Amino acid sequence: MRNAFPKNTLMCLDMVTLRSGEILSLCGNFNGPWYRARLTFYPHPKSTRIIQRKPYQKVSFETGYMILGCTKLLDLPGEQHFLVHQSQIDRVHRASRAFEGLSGDNLEQCQILIKTLDEICGLGEDQHGLTGSGALHNILPTSDFDWIIYSHNPTPVEAYVISSEKFERELTFPMTYAYTKYAVFNGLARTDIDALFKDRWKYFRFRDLRISVSFVDPSMRVDNFLNTPVLGDRVLLEGVVTDGVGCYHMPRIIPLNGVGKNYQVLTWLFLYNGAFRTGDVVQVAGKTCVINRKEYILVESAEDYIRKVGGR
């Protein structure tokens, strides 16, 4: 199974191993030569996790990691983002090719899910991928499956997962993990974190597979979002989400209808992946910014947040 993506284009959630050894996950679809990527594994001599014949530590709550030659763009627990040049990349692990590394029950159950989503949602077999340990061909017995669907619109899959008895809603991590990881956001109480994950249908179990699904729009290119934003004032506002699809893609651009004005909220954080639906009422704390002559509310520091205050 192969996707016909351009050879030199790296797709969102493809994995890359740098020449310095770190393994990162792409934060968007880029034509290159520059890429924004999130640290996922780093070399660690005492780790028992072996990837590519070397010991690696999976990122959890660490901050402060530095990569020689890479500008750090974000430094939050589990969200250490870097600007990477293609000359620093030693190996690309295509998420769209990950199924080729599966075997046995894992491969059989993945094939069943792919066939099911083809029959019900019209998704072809070339519209699926795996990131994380799946892309690295390093799935452990305890691993969940970081599933990717190459499609702009999550609605058909959402409707099927919610309505079918074939799927059991189940987070791929305990909420205590989420509380610890997101405690850095001063404006989010535990009840706010609960609300963000309460209806997060993207986490589910299918047969024996624990799955977290993400969506990648193959037509998007976000190289121009690597331009340095011009930051403005801090704002605190409320609004209604007018199109929830935006929170599934990278960067997450969430349109809001505020009081007398429309806004575009921009965030690179995985916390908000699939967190909102059209019609949700949210409170946003962030900074105004201009990127490519367009104004956004940027949400990415420990003082920023998007909090549900109403809706479905």
Side-chain angles (χ1 to χ4, degrees):
M1 178 168 54
R2 303 191 181 198
N3 276 291
F5 297 136
K7 182 178 179 181
N8 295 324
T9 297
L10 297 186
M11 304 299 290
C12 186
L13 300 176
D14 280 349
M15 310 285 287
V16 294
T17 299
L18 303 186
R19 299 188 188 282
S20 53
E22 294 84 2
I23 301 175
L24 295 87
S25 173
L26 270 290
C27 300
N29 305 333
F30 298 95
N31 288 326
W34 292 96
Y35 309 93
R36 182 174 182 136
R38 179 173 63 110
L39 183 66
T40 56
F41 293 93
Y42 56 91
H44 194 291
K46 296 183 179 180
S47 176
T48 58
R49 183 77 177 264
I50 304 300
I51 302 175
Q52 301 166 163
R53 300 181 181 179
K54 297 178 181 179
Y56 276 88
Q57 181 69 41
K58 185 177 181 180
V59 170
S60 55
F61 310 127
E62 304 95 322
T63 58
Y65 194 96
M66 302 303 295
I67 300 176
L68 185 63
C70 295
T71 300
K72 195 158 200 181
L73 302 174
L74 189 60
D75 191 21
L76 294 171
E79 297 278 3
Q80 298 190 73
H81 295 203
F82 295 86
L83 185 64
V84 177
H85 189 265
Q86 65 181 14
S87 63
Q88 297 167 293
I89 297 174
D90 180 58
R91 184 177 178 183
V92 176
H93 312 270
R94 292 279 188 182
S96 59
R97 302 285 299 273
F99 294 103
E100 297 173 9
L102 298 182
S103 61
D105 289 342
N106 285 339
L107 178 59
E108 180 181 355
Q109 294 186 68
C110 286
Q111 289 173 332
I112 292 172
L113 179 55
I114 290 170
K115 182 179 179 181
T116 301
L117 293 177
D118 181 18
E119 294 172 349
I120 304 300
C121 304
L123 294 170
E125 69 170 22
D126 62 344
Q127 289 181 260
H128 301 270
L130 293 175
T131 188
S133 57
L136 299 171
H137 301 167
N138 192 253
I139 293 176
L140 304 178
T142 56
S143 295
D144 59 290
F145 282 68
D146 295 311
W147 199 283
I148 300 172
I149 292 177
Y150 296 100
S151 173
H152 170 74
N153 185 12
T155 303
V157 182
E158 176 186 7
Y160 181 46
V161 169
I162 291 175
S163 63
S164 175
E165 294 181 353
K166 294 182 179 180
F167 303 93
E168 180 182 351
R169 303 281 288 279
E170 179 182 313
L171 292 175
T172 56
F173 49 84
M175 282 303 298
T176 51
Y177 176 89
Y179 297 148
T180 302
K181 181 175 180 179
Y182 301 122
V184 67
F185 296 106
N186 300 322
L188 292 179
R190 285 193 173 189
T191 52
D192 298 319
I193 298 172
D194 287 336
L196 287 172
F197 286 97
K198 179 181 177 182
D199 296 320
R200 198 82 70 95
W201 70 270
K202 70 183 289 294
Y203 299 101
F204 56 83
R205 179 181 291 273
F206 177 79
R207 294 179 173 241
D208 295 328
L209 304 180
R210 295 165 56 249
I211 291 175
S212 167
V213 65
S214 296
F215 287 79
V216 173
D217 184 345
S219 66
M220 289 181 64
R221 296 295 182 271
V222 297
D223 299 76
N224 56 350
F225 281 94
L226 296 178
N227 296 331
T228 303
V230 179
L231 297 177
D233 298 328
R234 288 201 59 80
V235 295
L236 177 66
L237 57 90
E238 283 193 12
V240 179
V241 176
T242 58
D243 187 357
V245 171
C247 69
Y248 286 91
H249 301 293
M250 286 287 280
R252 313 193 193 288
I253 301 175
I254 307 166
L256 299 184
N257 184 359
V259 178
K261 184 177 179 180
N262 293 327
Y263 301 92
Q264 300 259 27
V265 178
L266 186 153
T267 182
W268 297 91
L269 299 176
F270 277 76
L271 168 60
Y272 301 113
N273 184 3
F276 307 108
R277 297 177 180 177
T278 302
D280 282 343
V281 182
V282 298
Q283 184 183 73
V284 179
K287 274 191 175 183
T288 61
C289 75
V290 175
I291 305 177
N292 309 316
R293 300 182 180 179
K294 292 185 179 181
E295 184 175 277
Y296 300 93
I297 308 298
L298 182 64
V299 174
E300 69 171 10
S301 79
E303 303 304 317
D304 305 338
Y305 61 82
I306 311 173
R307 181 166 59 199
K308 282 187 180 182
V309 295
R312 290 191 289 177

